[in-house]
Amino acid sequence: MTVLGLSCFYHDAAAALVRDGEIVAAAQEERFTRRKHDPSFPANAVAFCLAEAGLAVADLDAVAFYDKPLLTFERLLETYVSYAPRGLRSFLEAMPLWLKRKLWTPDVIRTELAGYNGPLVFAEHHRSHAASAFFPSPFERAAVLTTDGVGEWATTSWGVGDGHGLDLRQEIHFPHSLGLLYSAFTTFCGFRVNSGEYKLMGLAPYGEPRYVDAILEHLVDLRADGSYRLHADAFTFPVGLRMTGRRFEELFGGPAREPESPLGQREMDLARSVQAVVEEAVLRMAQHVWAETGETNLCLAGGVALNCVANGRLLREGPFEQIWIQPAAGDAGGALGAALVATHEWAGLSRTVRPDDAMRGAALGPAWSAADIQATLDAEGLPYQTLADDGALCDRVAELLAEEKTVGWFQGRAEFGPRALGHRSILADPRGREVQRRVNLQIKFRESFRPFAPSVLAERADEFFALGDRGQGIEDQERNPSPIPRLPSPESPYMLLVGPVRGARVEGEGLGRMGRVESAVPAVTHVDGSARVQTVTKARNGLYYDLLKAFEARTGCPVLVNTSFNVRGEPIVHSPADAVRVFRRTHMDALAIGPFVLTRDALPPAEREPFTAEQIADAYGLD
């Protein structure tokens, strides 16, 4: 039974292939087209998935789509009618695309997959999310909670997964949406929807939660069971081209921040406040789901499940013994979820539970042979060192990292989802104080306030990070009067949990906190003393684990800075040519690509300094 799953036409188009319940391949279209969040039909991702499985489209047993377009169209029409005459401009802009393409999704799929004549399976959006969370999880049974912007109608859903499939029991419907609430603040603070939410989350620790009461009084009615309703008059997103209007300006002391303009204390406080509200909502929802289901395990998906700060609090303060989060929790993961719905519910194939999970460390994308990589390097005329084996490669890269060099790491199959997990990563020594600013400014070309994540050997994670420590506050005791015993260091294989850094101390206020962090690993310690942790094991991470062991052997430190291998405004690198281009145009010190290592000091003198820090700051409006 071979199923191709698809998501497209909104953002983060993707394809995934599942054969007899096993996830064979998955990839986002943006990696191939180099267009960030590319929503178009994922033709390149489909071609990759089929090639990885050794199949033609005619060999497929089913093709599954991640939502039901007619239900979404119904929501749009009902919403426009209920708000009329407001929203006419938005209606006129939206309808041509629907009438020409989205309403004809079955025909588009068959046209794009020429030669496929089999069945098309359409799964509801939140069912796709739920399937992507439960079916690959390491649990025989679990509660499932999905929260995002909006699917067809649903914005939040919960239920139970077990040997019989998924039983989704309750939903919250549009326009009431926790994801859209967060996106509204993202745009009001001057960031872009569907990409700026990470920035808002990273900005939050610089602020104070001074607007929490205003948000709960004027914007959202958050109830004890975690259900919520937005105050419709405060938002314009149901029918407008913007997400917020005058009500936000009145509540928060003026107009929205202009993109790329200086950040003020207001934006920091707004970020902190809405983050606090979302965390509280997630905790209340999880408590309700636990009380209703009696389950001890929880699976999460949907865009809000990428809020790793909320996830960390849920792990430490919530009622569930274990949580598992789909690494491609957003719409890209809907392609995988749809394929799993078709496999396990439509076709009825039984599910095999794997102790680690079924995601293969999220390494589901394309890989490149040493011959392909060498051909690229030779065509570029670049000098490189060839390492004899994996051990020699890890020793050489560990040597460079110990010398405080930044290294591009391009190895094996690409990750599926938004996180770099040791296959398409930029790595550095976490002990250096200036690493965060230097990598942000001279390599990533992004705002200096944004934090970096650590990768840590799983067996030593508890020495540095308090992922599993339960909260000691009154609020926690009220939620969970009989604390559940926890393992000292829960696994965080997909970098989706934030926890305290042991021994961290921070001074200052606002952006003044930058550079005033005291910890054993300051480059990965955010200004609230936390870190977004990836735990690394040999079984799941292979060569990347070996590199961390080599770095540990040289330095005694089992931690590395791990950030995605890309520059601002671009997707994570896809091909060797992409990796070489980023290496050449940034201040990255070295590139480890397959068995080859390139160093900047071996480049021609004219290429060693592509830009000055001042030129980068001027070009991108950075400080």
Side-chain angles (χ1 to χ4, degrees):
M1 178 72 188
T2 305
V3 180
L4 178 69
L6 302 172
S7 66
C8 54
F9 302 150
Y10 296 93
H11 56 87
D12 296 312
L17 195 137
V18 175
R19 180 162 51 197
D20 295 334
E22 179 182 357
I23 305 167
V24 176
Q28 292 168 245
E29 187 69 4
E30 68 167 20
R31 305 291 178 89
F32 301 86
T33 64
R34 313 308 301 155
R35 179 187 173 195
K36 200 164 186 178
H37 305 299
D38 191 343
S40 58
F41 186 87
N44 296 287
V46 167
F48 155 69
C49 289
L50 291 172
E52 187 67 25
L55 299 174
V57 291
D59 300 320
L60 296 170
D61 295 298
V63 172
F65 195 72
Y66 82 128
D67 76 359
K68 295 189 173 183
L70 290 178
L71 280 179
T72 304
F73 189 62
E74 174 190 84
R75 167 175 59 82
L76 289 174
L77 289 181
E78 287 194 21
T79 301
Y80 282 125
V81 168
S82 65
Y83 279 84
R86 288 187 295 157
L88 178 61
R89 183 181 171 194
S90 175
F91 176 81
L92 293 175
E93 288 197 14
M95 285 305 105
L97 182 59
W98 273 95
L99 296 175
K100 291 178 181 178
R101 191 168 180 84
K102 291 182 180 181
L103 280 176
W104 313 105
T105 296
D107 296 330
V108 172
I109 292 173
R110 293 199 183 276
T111 298
E112 294 283 354
L113 301 180
Y116 175 73
N117 298 308
L120 300 179
V121 179
F122 288 83
E124 288 195 19
H125 188 96
H126 272 251
R127 193 166 202 86
S128 294
H129 278 319
S132 78
F134 173 67
F135 289 122
S137 79
F139 307 137
E140 291 281 354
R141 57 180 298 125
V144 182
L145 176 63
T146 67
T147 309
D148 65 0
V150 63
E152 296 88 359
W153 280 101
T155 61
T156 293
S157 68
W158 67 264
V160 172
D162 58 21
H164 302 289
L166 282 166
D167 175 19
L168 298 184
R169 300 179 182 177
Q170 197 168 15
E171 295 180 339
I172 297 173
H173 285 182
F174 181 88
H176 310 292
S177 167
L178 205 59
L180 291 176
L181 172 71
Y182 205 81
S183 292
F185 278 86
T186 299
T187 60
F188 193 76
C189 289
F191 304 123
R192 184 177 296 179
V193 173
N194 295 327
S195 62
E197 286 82 359
Y198 298 126
K199 299 181 184 181
L200 196 73
M201 185 172 62
L203 185 64
Y206 293 94
E208 299 296 332
R210 64 182 79 253
Y211 295 109
V212 167
D213 289 345
I215 293 171
L216 293 175
E217 182 177 352
H218 299 288
L219 298 183
V220 58
D221 175 17
L222 178 60
R223 297 163 186 173
D225 64 357
S227 63
Y228 55 86
R229 293 183 67 83
L230 300 189
H231 297 197
D233 63 336
F235 301 90
T236 60
F237 62 75
V239 290
L241 298 176
R242 298 171 55 201
M243 299 200 72
T244 64
R246 290 181 183 174
R247 189 72 178 119
F248 261 62
E249 296 178 3
E250 293 168 357
L251 281 173
F252 304 124
R257 169 182 171 257
E258 289 294 325
E260 309 302 336
S261 65
L263 284 162
Q265 190 62 45
R266 182 189 70 157
E267 284 74 40
M268 300 175 212
D269 294 342
L270 286 171
R272 177 70 180 275
S273 300
V274 73
Q275 177 67 32
V277 169
V278 167
E279 290 172 19
E280 184 63 26
V282 169
L283 284 165
R284 292 187 189 185
M285 285 191 289
Q287 182 72 27
H288 175 72
V289 172
W290 174 74
E292 290 292 315
T293 66
E295 299 293 336
T296 58
N297 303 315
L298 176 67
C299 299
L300 299 172
V304 175
L306 294 171
N307 192 308
C308 45
V309 179
N311 297 341
R313 283 197 63 192
L314 179 56
L315 177 68
R316 294 188 303 276
E317 300 177 33
F320 289 95
E321 290 184 29
Q322 298 181 83
I323 65 174
W324 189 87
I325 309 153
Q326 166 55 238
D331 275 13
L336 174 59
L340 292 169
V341 168
T343 297
H344 296 299
E345 298 193 327
W346 179 77
L349 267 68
S350 61
R351 169 181 177 249
T352 300
V353 180
R354 292 170 174 78
D356 279 343
D357 69 44
M359 288 297 295
R360 300 185 176 186
L364 298 167
W368 301 79
S369 69
D372 290 333
I373 294 169
Q374 188 168 24
T376 297
L377 300 180
D378 289 341
E380 294 280 347
L382 293 170
Y384 55 84
Q385 177 185 6
T386 305
L387 283 303
D389 54 33
D390 288 347
L393 174 69
C394 290
D395 285 342
R396 175 64 178 131
V397 174
E399 178 185 29
L400 290 165
L401 291 165
E403 294 170 354
E404 299 187 353
K405 305 289 196 237
T406 54
V407 180
W409 179 256
F410 186 104
Q411 303 292 337
R413 294 183 69 173
E415 301 92 342
F416 180 54
R419 306 297 190 205
L421 301 169
H423 297 271
R424 303 291 184 269
S425 295
I426 297 172
L427 308 175
D429 187 337
R431 299 170 298 167
R433 292 188 174 279
E434 293 301 316
V435 168
Q436 180 189 10
R437 179 173 172 80
R438 180 162 55 88
V439 175
N440 268 330
L441 183 61
Q442 298 185 5
I443 297 175
K444 299 281 285 187
F445 304 158
R446 70 183 196 181
E447 301 90 346
S448 58
F449 72 81
R450 295 178 65 184
F452 288 119
S455 295
V456 58
L457 294 172
E459 61 268 27
R460 294 193 61 189
D462 196 50
E463 297 175 36
F464 292 83
F465 309 105
L467 282 176
D469 289 10
R470 292 196 62 81
Q472 299 300 315
I474 294 174
E475 198 171 58
D476 176 61
Q477 294 302 315
E478 288 176 348
R479 282 201 182 88
N480 197 1
S482 302
I484 297 166
R486 301 274 175 155
L487 294 174
S489 183
E491 283 201 0
S492 178
Y494 299 118
M495 205 182 280
L496 287 169
L497 294 172
V498 163
V501 178
R502 296 199 185 277
R505 298 195 312 275
V506 183
E507 297 179 354
E509 296 183 357
L511 293 178
R513 294 173 182 168
M514 282 192 298
R516 304 185 68 180
V517 174
E518 296 285 343
S519 91
V521 284
V524 295
T525 304
H526 203 14
V527 296
D528 59 351
S530 71
R532 174 167 48 90
V533 180
Q534 178 196 8
T535 54
V536 177
T537 64
K538 178 64 175 176
R540 184 180 278 114
N541 304 101
L543 184 63
Y544 189 44
Y545 177 87
D546 295 339
L547 173 61
L548 274 161
K549 290 294 287 185
F551 184 72
E552 178 193 38
R554 282 185 175 270
T555 65
C557 178
V559 183
L560 285 173
V561 175
N562 177 10
T563 187
S564 56
F565 197 157
N566 66 320
V567 296
R568 186 180 188 182
E570 292 187 3
I572 295 174
V573 295
H574 166 66
S575 67
D578 295 333
V580 168
R581 178 176 51 81
V582 172
F583 171 65
R584 296 181 83 160
R585 67 180 284 206
T586 69
H587 286 260
M588 197 181 301
D589 296 306
L591 172 62
I593 180 167
F596 310 106
V597 173
L598 297 74
T599 57
R600 183 157 298 281
D601 57 14
L603 294 176
E607 290 194 43
R608 293 178 192 172
E609 295 291 332
F611 306 102
T612 66
E614 291 75 17
Q615 287 171 327
I616 295 168
D618 289 344
Y620 288 91
L622 305 176
D623 54 8

